[in-house]
Amino acid sequence: MKKIITLLFTAAQFLNTHAQFTFGPKVGVNFAKENYSSTYYSTSHRVGLAAGIFTNYTFGKHFGIQAELIYSSEGTKESYPNVNGVVTINRINIPLLFQYKHPKGIYIEAGSQIGLLQSAKGKYTTGNYDFKTNTQSNLLSWCVGAGYQLNQLVHGLGAGIRYTKGFTPVNKGNVNANSITSSVFNISVFYAVPYGKNITHNKH
């Protein structure tokens, strides 16, 4: 029992010694697309804004956990015979990601995300529509990404790319497009500010 307590205490001291908390803003561009199971429609990428805040907990030399609160403009461009339109879906996304970090500043990440629906609207050559009642309130997705923190040039400044794929349907109930799934490719920049008790300054 004493050995177990000693081991746990040693592990806690190690994590505390090598831990670093950072937080800050991030902003980027989404390239969003929805895929419809109905072949009657064709879709393509829509460009939208993504902006919000993040917090990162780095422990050890190479590992970190990052949580974010992001306003994300998603959706898709859509077309079918004689009609073109743009679907705009705005969400508040909350991803939770596990990161592996290289001392040179490169990192890779993977995790999951929940998207909280704010609005869903379509603007077509035939008119404007509100799709909120036909859109799921919560969208669950998985995320993978990579990035680089430019500590050698501007401490705290970084850039990243991320691909997010929904694994629950976008639509709620029956819609003309049948089953709808989403995907988003994001390019972003961020600025990390240290806070709390940062005993060592690991490169993100």
Side-chain angles (χ1 to χ4, degrees):
M1 187 66 180
K2 289 183 179 180
K3 290 182 178 181
I4 294 175
I5 294 174
T6 301
L7 181 62
L8 291 174
F9 179 78
T10 303
Q13 287 294 102
F14 176 82
L15 291 177
N16 183 60
T17 301
H18 292 82
Q20 180 179 354
F21 290 92
T22 58
F23 76 102
K26 67 179 300 184
V27 62
V29 178
N30 286 336
F31 299 89
K33 182 182 178 182
E34 294 181 347
N35 294 312
Y36 301 167
S37 60
S38 172
T39 57
Y40 185 70
Y41 300 85
S42 62
T43 58
S44 58
H45 289 92
R46 174 188 177 271
V47 179
L49 173 71
I53 57 174
F54 72 93
T55 183
N56 189 287
Y57 172 63
T58 298
F59 56 94
K61 293 183 179 180
H62 300 292
F63 301 102
I65 297 174
Q66 180 156 307
E68 301 174 2
L69 185 67
I70 303 293
Y71 166 84
S72 182
S73 183
E74 303 168 11
T76 194
K77 291 183 178 180
E78 176 188 316
S79 64
Y80 54 98
N82 302 318
V83 178
N84 294 308
V86 178
V87 177
T88 301
I89 298 180
N90 296 320
R91 294 187 174 92
I92 300 296
N93 288 334
I94 308 173
L96 182 63
L97 306 165
F98 179 79
Q99 296 179 332
Y100 176 80
K101 307 182 180 187
H102 190 276
K104 295 292 186 180
I106 300 171
Y107 68 88
I108 57 175
E109 62 186 9
S112 60
Q113 170 181 284
I114 183 169
L116 309 178
L117 180 66
Q118 304 301 302
S119 64
K121 297 181 179 181
K123 186 176 183 179
Y124 294 83
T125 51
T126 55
N128 300 332
Y129 304 91
D130 193 324
F131 296 139
K132 189 172 183 178
T133 57
N134 300 110
T135 305
Q136 293 284 1
S137 299
N138 303 321
L139 179 67
L140 299 178
S141 308
W142 58 267
C143 313
V144 293
Y148 182 69
Q149 189 154 351
L150 309 172
N151 282 338
Q152 299 298 331
L153 299 176
V154 180
H155 189 80
L157 182 65
I161 58 174
R162 184 180 299 168
Y163 176 75
T164 303
K165 177 68 176 178
F167 59 82
T168 56
V170 173
N171 59 294
K172 179 170 59 177
N174 296 323
V175 295
N176 293 335
N178 295 331
S179 179
I180 301 175
T181 56
S182 71
S183 61
V184 179
F185 179 77
N186 172 269
I187 302 173
S188 64
V189 293
F190 59 86
Y191 187 77
V193 180
Y195 72 97
K197 187 178 180 181
N198 295 311
I199 300 176
T200 61
H201 295 281
N202 299 321
K203 294 178 181 178
H204 178 51

